[in-house]
């Protein structure tokens, strides 16, 4: 039987606020355990939460970006359960009235078509701490630094019909929240965590199959592997005459498998109720308007602009706008008055390659946008050839100054003086009578040999256009 | 010296008649002598009190003394106090030394008060008799075989017994007004949001409110002045200007419209208490007030509504007491579940456990709509009753409690009868309104309280009404004879 996959995602994005959602403690990652948890985070007797309005603004930005309904009044609720890394014994979340309602996000499919994925809701909540089960000899360690870090949980409709679509959607949400500046997107540090609901059904069947929920997915690679494993597991189960149980399963990346955490029957009753310590969040029109005005250009808008304003190919525009950093970098390079296509190629190929090789991110690039622009300008004005440009780039990468300084220091300035080139060519023609004869007899590919000779004698500095023109004139003449 | 009010003592301190250190020593000695029997205090802080008194004396000398400078008070043990045990009347927090000050504690300290100690209370403020305290019951100074009321029973009894000039209390369903009535002191529960809840250990967050317990309304005005006002650390604290409560105390009551809800004078009210309250109303008539019969038709819903809302919130608020980070932890837990079950099972008393279970039940899937949601609706009905009443009247008056103080142990086996002791006070918490209880004519030597309920943020009005009454009567000056041994 042919099985269709149905997937919906719940994505937890840590919002990039400086302090926590209900306290003034820092959200910075990687501090010594329990050094960034204040009495509010620790749930001491008598403490009270105070909402960080920056987290609300960030949620609003996301809502606007996905064209969602923004609730003029949303309510924080308590989700009650006991766990040692949950100090208050409840998590402050939003339940019945989330801040962001229905919205959608379009994804690009491989065949070039677009598909709109429905977003059910997005709500604000606080993160829990971490339980550390290793290194404590039969006990567990608790690190409460993460407690109270603001999360925006983005819940999609079960609109994805393949694992590829699900990964594409997750990547697009990732790109969007990073673009919006509301999440640092660091999956290794847990800033972007994915829970996936997956079910299968025979093609053509309308009713959904029984779903399982996969937790603990913290990379796109794992996501693909986890979903593949789970899809196969469900198919094997059903084809073997079994039934899928509604349950929560944990993906174990080391073993590349999913295993059961708890079934629906064991599911906790969280006893949600409105948190009496917090007032409902009221969003005035004025506030929403000012969020709308402060919205950055979104990936799709930027891509379309790059195509039209810079006459870039759709592929180049897509590549450049993958990240806001790269797009901004590109625009700075182009701002130096250089050709957009050449800039696109240098940013996405040469520079990206160099960064990738040493594992650096764009903001740490030793070659700034201004300097790369300076280099490309020297190609455009024929000061150096494209070939030598790579050598200059390397020197710049190694900190030997800007393009002009490197060209000067290494004497790489292109020879554009026709008389000088002619003298060299005359000598080469005189020294190679046999090749001249063969060329004139019709073996025109020997032109490359002569160009090579010129470049050899000029250490590659001769302007290739001129060399070609003068050579052809002399050989044919 | 110990029977004087804040106003009288403050004037004497500033006039140099005696120092705050002398005054503080006097109260410390009284506590040492009398509290062993009354049990009003869980923790005494004499050394700290004398340090505070000394700095108060310096402020007096430097001419920097305010109205509360150097006045010895006691704080209910529900307010977190830095470096001091803050037990909330529970074994669960017997070992808890708070690392921070509640906003109320901080504000009163800034106002210059001297804190003599932390008062006994029903465990986590759950109780109406002070008998649920881990530290044993408080005895009523008027009759030591009777309860002082609760949950702020220690505070009320301490003020009544002249072990402190004044006290702080908290009121979730009557916990300031009811013990004030049973101990013959003046107790004010402000409008919800008037006083910050930060650092006040939560029982039912949407109902809890801190307030003063004093000898008279004039003192209550001074204490409230220091306690009230916006606090950015409490999202439910009102950003509303605080009027000068003392400046309107003397206002005339000519034309004041007093509403008497017929539901508060029902069959459940002890006739002798009714007579005392009615006599007090007559005083108001003489002062020019007009009495209007009103109805609060949903009064009967108040107790059942409260016993859904308050347990629901407390079941969640008390989840943090899990033996993991602070407070009581059971010995040698086998595993996590054992740690939770035994720490909570051994650390909480019976009444607290009863309310946690009721609360968890009314919030659980399948029961939420029938209980919690329904209670939210009846809560609205109760608020609407008051709203309509306040369109016709300025204040509402009635008894604070249906009876005078009952005997120790008398109602402990019957929670519902115990709960009914708060029948006249609970509705104001559900509506978030301010209410004050003040002593009127005692019945058989036991104090009786008159309750005055005001509209939102009209503490000045009810303090004014209480003060004018106290200018006409002497009931608030009566004091228990502590030499009588039980």
């Amino acid at each position: 039987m042919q099985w269709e996959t149905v997937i919906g995602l719940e994505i937890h994005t840590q919002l990039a606020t400086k302090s926590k959602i209900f306290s003034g403690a820092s959200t910075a990652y990687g501090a010594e355990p329990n050094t960034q948890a204040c009495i509010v985070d620790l749930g001491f007797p008598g403490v009270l939460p105070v909402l960080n309005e920056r987290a609300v603004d960030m949620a609003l930005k996301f809502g606007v970006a996905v064209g969602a309904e923004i609730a003029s009044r949303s309510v924080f609720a308590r989700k009650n359960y006991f766990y040692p890394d949950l100090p208050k014994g409840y998590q402050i979340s939003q339940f019945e009235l989330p801040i962001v309602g229905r919205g959608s996000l379009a994804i690009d499919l491989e065949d070039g078509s677009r598909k709109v994925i429905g977003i059910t809701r997005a709500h604000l909540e606080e993160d829990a701490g971490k339980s550390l089960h290793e290194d404590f000899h039969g006990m567990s360690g608790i690190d409460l630094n993460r407690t109270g870090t603001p999360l925006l949980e983005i819940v999609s409709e079960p609109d994805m019909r393949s694992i590829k679509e699900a990964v594409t959607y997750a990547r697009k949400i990732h790109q969007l929240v990073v673009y919006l500046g509301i999440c640092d997107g660091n999956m290794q540090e847990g800033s972007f965590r994915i829970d996936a609901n997956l079910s299968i059904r025979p093609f053509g069947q309308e009713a959904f199959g029984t779903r399982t929920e996969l937790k603990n997915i913290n990379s796109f690679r794992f996501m693909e592997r986890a979903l593949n494993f789970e899809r196969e597991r469900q198919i094997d189960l059903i084809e073997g005459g079994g039934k899928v149980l509604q349950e929560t399963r944990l993906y174990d990346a080391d073993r590349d498998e999913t295993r059961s955490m708890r079934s629906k029957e064991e599911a906790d009753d969280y006893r949600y109720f409105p948190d009496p310590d917090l007032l409902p969040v009221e969003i005035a029109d004025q506030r929403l308007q000012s969020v709308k005005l402060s919205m950055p250009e979104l990936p799709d808008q930027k891509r379309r602009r790059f195509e039209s304003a810079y006459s870039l190919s759709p592929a180049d525009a897509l590549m450049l706008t993958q990240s806001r950093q790269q797009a901004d970098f590109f625009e700075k390079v182009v701002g130096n008055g250089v050709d957009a296509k050449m800039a696109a190629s240098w940013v996405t190929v040469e520079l990206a390659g160099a960064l990738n090789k040493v594992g650096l991110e764009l903001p740490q690039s030793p070659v700034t946008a201004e300097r790369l622009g300076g280099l490309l300008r020297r190609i455009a004005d024929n000061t150096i050839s494209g070939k030598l440009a790579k050598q200059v780039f390397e020197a710049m990468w190694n900190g030997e100054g800007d393009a002009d300084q490197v060209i000067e220091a290494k004497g790489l300035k292109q020879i554009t003086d026709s008389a000088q080139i002619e003298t060299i060519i005359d000598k080469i023609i005189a020294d190679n009578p046999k090749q001249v004869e063969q060329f004139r007899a019709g073996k025109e590919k020997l032109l490359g040999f002569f160009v090579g000779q010129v470049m050899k004698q000029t250490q590659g500095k001769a302007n290739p256009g001129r060399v070609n023109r003068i050579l052809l004139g002399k050989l044919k003449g | 010296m110990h029977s004087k009010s804040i106003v009288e003592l403050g004037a004497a301190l500033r006039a140099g008649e005696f120092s705050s250190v002398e005054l503080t020593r006097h109260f410390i000695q009284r506590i040492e002598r009398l509290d062993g029997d009354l049990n009003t205090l869980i923790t005494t802080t004499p050394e700290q009190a004398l340090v505070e008194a000394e700095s108060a004396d310096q402020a007096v000398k430097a001419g920097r003394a305010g109205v509360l400078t150097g006045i010895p008070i006691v704080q209910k043990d529900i307010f977190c106090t830095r470096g001091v045990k803050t037990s909330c009347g529970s074994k669960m927090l017997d070992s808890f030394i708070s690392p921070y000050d509640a906003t109320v504690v901080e504000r009163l300290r800034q106002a210059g008060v001297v804190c003599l100690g932390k008062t006994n209370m029903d465990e986590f403020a759950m109780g109406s008799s002070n008998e649920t305290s881990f530290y044993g019951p408080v005895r009523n100074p008027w009759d030591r075989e009777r309860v002082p009321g609760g949950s702020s029973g220690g505070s009320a009894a301490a003020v009544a017994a002249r072990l402190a000039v004044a006290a702080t209390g908290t009121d979730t369903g009557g916990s300031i007004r009811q013990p004030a009535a049973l101990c013959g002191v003046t107790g004010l529960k402000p409008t919800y949001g008037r006083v910050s809840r930060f650092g006040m250990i939560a029982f039912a967050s949407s109902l809890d409110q801190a307030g003063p317990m004093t000898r008279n309304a004039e003192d209550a005005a001074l204490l409230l002045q220091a306690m009230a006002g916006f606090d950015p650390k409490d999202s439910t604290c009102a950003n509303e200007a605080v009027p000068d409560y003392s400046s309107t105390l003397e206002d005339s009551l000519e034309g004041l419209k007093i509403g008497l809800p017929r539901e508060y004078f029902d069959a459940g009210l002890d006739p002798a208490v009714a007579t005392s309250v009615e006599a007090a109303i007559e005083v108001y008539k003489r002062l020019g007030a007009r009495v209007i019969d009103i109805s609060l038709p949903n009064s009967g819903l108040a107790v059942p509504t409260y016993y859904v809302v308050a347990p629901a919130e407390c079941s969640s608020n008390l989840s943090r007491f899990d033996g993991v980070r602070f407070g009581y932890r059971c010995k040698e837990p086998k595993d996590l579940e054992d740690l939770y079950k035994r720490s909570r099972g051994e650390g909480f008393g019976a009444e607290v456990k009863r309310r946690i279970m009721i609360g968890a039940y009314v919030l659980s899937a399948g029961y939420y709509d029938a209980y919690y949601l329904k209670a939210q609706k009846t809560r609205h009905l109760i608020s609407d009753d008051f709203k309509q009443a306040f369109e016709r009247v300025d204040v509402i008056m009635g008894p604070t409690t249906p009876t005078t103080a009952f005997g120790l142990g008398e109602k402990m086996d019957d929670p519902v009868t115990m709960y009914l002791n708060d029948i006249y006070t609970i509705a104001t918490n559900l509506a978030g309104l301010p209410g004050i209880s003040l002593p009127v004519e005692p019945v058989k030597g036991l104090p009786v309280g008159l309750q005055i309920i005001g509209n939102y943020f009209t503490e000045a009005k009810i303090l004014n009404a209480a003060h004018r009454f106290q200018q006409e009567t002497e009931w608030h000056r009566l004091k228990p004879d502590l030499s009588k041994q039980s």
Side-chain angles (χ1 to χ4, degrees), chain A residues 47-65:
Chain A
V47 299
L48 294 169
V50 177
L51 179 61
N52 181 345
E53 294 292 338
R54 298 283 75 74
V56 175
D57 286 334
M58 289 182 180
L60 293 177
K61 269 192 175 174
F62 176 80
V64 170

Side-chain angles (χ1 to χ4, degrees), chain B residues 171-186:
Chain B
D171 190 317
T172 305
S175 283
I176 287 176
R177 292 159 292 160
Q178 186 253 17
L182 302 194
C183 289
V185 304
T186 302

Side-chain angles (χ1 to χ4, degrees), chain B residues 441-477:
Chain B
E441 185 176 1
V443 170
K444 292 182 195 155
L446 292 173
V448 173
L450 168 73
Q451 181 176 213
I452 310 175
I453 300 166
N455 210 338
Y456 298 104
F457 298 104
T458 61
E459 286 80 3
K461 174 56 68 187
I462 58 177
L463 282 165
N464 164 220
H467 177 67
R468 292 304 302 258
F469 178 85
Q470 289 178 335
Q471 285 178 315
E472 300 294 315
T473 59
E474 296 292 321
W475 308 124
H476 62 287
R477 293 190 201 280

Side-chain angles (χ1 to χ4, degrees), chain A residues 39 42-50 78 80 82-84 87-90 144 269 271-274 276-279, chain B residues 80 96 99-100 197-200 205 232-236 316-317 319-320 325-326 336 340 360 363-365 368 372:
Chain A
I39 51 170
L42 294 170
F44 262 63
V47 299
L48 294 169
V50 177
R78 293 184 182 178
N80 295 285
F82 285 99
Y83 206 68
K88 298 189 295 295
Y90 59 85
L144 296 174
D269 177 359
R271 306 189 309 276
Y272 279 101
F273 75 106
D277 286 334
L278 290 159
L279 303 176
Chain B
C80 284
F96 179 65
Y100 76 106
R197 291 188 296 115
F198 185 78
M200 190 175 120
S205 312
K233 291 183 209 157
D234 175 3
S235 311
T236 63
S316 175
N317 283 334
S319 292
R320 68 192 60 198
R325 293 163 313 284
F326 45 72
L336 184 59
Y340 284 153
L363 289 175
S364 59
Y368 182 86
Y372 185 79

Side-chain angles (χ1 to χ4, degrees), chain B residues 358-390:
Chain B
I358 294 171
Y361 178 79
V362 301
L363 289 175
S364 59
Y367 298 98
Y368 182 86
D369 288 5
Y371 292 103
Y372 185 79
L373 221 52
K374 186 76 155 277
Q376 296 302 322
K377 286 177 189 154
T378 52
R379 187 173 180 177
H380 271 291
L381 294 177
I382 290 161
S383 299
D384 286 345
D385 278 359
F386 282 109
K387 203 173 155 197
Q388 279 168 23
F390 281 118

